Amino acid sequence: MMDGKIFSLRSSIDKTAYNVVQLLVKKRLKISTAESCTGGLISAAITAVSGSSEIFDEGICTYANEAKMKHLNVPFETLEKYGAVSEETALAMAEGMAKQSGSDIAISVTGIAGPTGGTLEKPVGTVYVGLFVKGKTEARLVFTDPLESDEKPREYIRLSTVLSALEWVEQELFRM
């Protein structure tokens, strides 16, 4: 049986992705994604909605630092100084995706989904989301405590990240 929190997250993701697609269609805007720890789940949520082909340009999963540099032009210096899981990298990923795709909106995520890979400074559940909207880029920390889910903490962190990212896009679209 699926964990109740996981089921609830999936339901919220589906509803939010639907809203995002409808708003993008209405506003005639295009979106693209640059994902690391979510491994394409944001792209999957958007493209699961009928009509998404009108608004979705492309998505790229850049798990390795080399891929972030090669496909998104994240500077080596940024990765070396701040690490892959940082506000600076999330910003660079969103900007790189927007520049590459020509999309009006680009969302990026980079983080530690666990159960391994965490440190005292950046524990499991540390995720940064970057958002490029028509020339302006911001990033924010989205921390998901893996202990909030009694089952499947990695899946819980990844899905929580997807929901947070989509909700942020939805909020920005309402402001436009």
Side-chain angles (χ1 to χ4, degrees), residues 60-62 66-74 96-97 100:
I60 187 166
C61 181
T62 56
E66 292 77 16
K68 289 173 180 66
M69 291 184 291
K70 178 180 177 183
H71 299 291
L72 301 172
N73 293 316
V74 174
M97 188 73 239
Q100 173 189 302

Side-chain angles (χ1 to χ4, degrees), residues 1-15 149 152 155-156 159:
M1 184 168 165
M2 191 184 310
D3 180 21
K5 290 182 180 182
I6 299 288
F7 180 79
S8 178
L9 276 172
R10 288 187 185 279
S11 177
S12 295
I13 287 167
D14 291 345
K15 289 176 189 170
S149 179
K152 305 176 185 163
E155 184 176 8
Y156 181 73
L159 293 175

Side-chain angles (χ1 to χ4, degrees), residues 87-108:
E87 178 180 349
E88 294 80 5
T89 297
L91 286 166
M93 288 173 67
E95 289 171 355
M97 188 73 239
K99 186 174 185 178
Q100 173 189 302
S101 68
S103 296
D104 304 294
I105 298 171
I107 189 88
S108 69

Side-chain angles (χ1 to χ4, degrees), residues 18-169:
Y18 177 83
N19 291 341
V20 165
V21 170
Q22 298 312 307
L23 288 164
L24 288 166
V25 168
K26 181 179 178 183
K27 295 175 184 293
R28 298 177 189 217
L29 298 172
K30 298 276 190 162
I31 191 169
S32 55
T33 62
E35 301 180 65
S36 186
C37 63
T38 52
L41 291 173
I42 298 170
S43 297
I46 293 169
T47 59
V49 178
S50 179
S52 60
S53 59
E54 289 182 48
I55 55 87
F56 188 76
D57 275 333
E58 62 184 286
I60 187 166
C61 181
T62 56
Y63 221 70
N65 285 350
E66 292 77 16
K68 289 173 180 66
M69 291 184 291
K70 178 180 177 183
H71 299 291
L72 301 172
N73 293 316
V74 174
F76 172 78
E77 297 76 19
T78 299
L79 293 164
E80 186 175 52
K81 183 173 182 180
Y82 302 104
V85 179
S86 65
E87 178 180 349
E88 294 80 5
T89 297
L91 286 166
M93 288 173 67
E95 289 171 355
M97 188 73 239
K99 186 174 185 178
Q100 173 189 302
S101 68
S103 296
D104 304 294
I105 298 171
I107 189 88
S108 69
V109 292
T110 183
I112 305 164
T116 61
T119 65
L120 288 176
E121 187 179 285
K122 295 179 186 177
V124 169
T126 302
V127 178
Y128 288 90
V129 179
L131 181 61
F132 171 95
V133 179
K134 291 190 162 190
K136 181 182 170 197
T137 312
E138 295 179 63
R140 58 173 65 160
L141 171 65
V142 177
F143 180 77
T144 303
D145 188 342
L147 300 178
E148 289 179 19
S149 179
D150 14 347
E151 296 179 25
K152 305 176 185 163
R154 180 178 177 82
E155 184 176 8
Y156 181 73
I157 290 166
R158 288 165 40 111
L159 293 175
S160 293
T161 299
V162 171
L163 182 58
S164 293
L166 288 171
E167 286 176 339
W168 191 9
V169 171

